[in-house]
Amino acid sequence: MNVLDGASLAIDADTVRERIGADAVWIAIADDRCLGVCVLDGREIDAIAVRRRRRGQGIGTRLVERAAAATAGDLRAEFHRRVRPFYDSLGFAIEPTDEPDRFRGQYE
């Protein structure tokens, strides 16, 4: 939860606990420390975050690749424009939503 909270993501601990029980949470760990986390809601990324100091090291990419494998490649995301470069770099097909500064993407 610290990693998700540090990224200012609006997901609560109860939801994360439920998704852990449904095998829909992946955590990147090194030296007994959580570096990143990806939480799915079905086939959609509900939250993904990597510790600020560890960004740009491929951790988020590996988490998304794991989520894509778990969904047989049918992975989607809705996100703010500030993280669009991350989803672009992973090859998501991206389109705007009806909300300003929000996009949705389909993993390809």
Side-chain angles (χ1 to χ4, degrees), residues 69-106:
T71 61
D74 185 15
L75 182 63
R76 300 173 213 120
E78 189 171 314
F79 49 90
H80 191 272
R81 69 174 165 74
R82 74 178 177 277
V83 295
R84 182 177 178 163
F86 172 70
Y87 288 98
D88 275 329
S89 74
L90 293 169
F92 275 73
I94 297 172
E95 61 184 41
T97 67
D98 293 336
E99 297 178 55
D101 296 328
R102 303 277 309 164
F103 294 88
R104 76 174 56 87
Q106 173 75 41

Side-chain angles (χ1 to χ4, degrees), residues 11-72:
I11 188 167
D12 61 81
D14 289 336
T15 299
V16 174
R17 278 189 210 95
E18 288 172 16
R19 305 278 168 72
I20 289 171
D23 292 329
V25 176
W26 290 275
I27 301 170
I29 297 174
D31 299 322
D32 292 327
R33 187 175 167 125
C34 177
L35 304 180
V37 62
C38 180
V39 181
L40 291 185
D41 181 5
R43 298 186 176 281
E44 186 163 336
I45 295 173
D46 198 12
I48 185 166
V50 173
R51 287 190 182 276
R52 190 165 271 119
R53 284 188 237 153
R54 299 303 295 262
R55 292 179 185 163
Q57 298 176 14
I59 296 166
T61 298
R62 288 190 299 277
L63 287 167
V64 169
E65 288 169 349
R66 176 62 186 96
T71 61

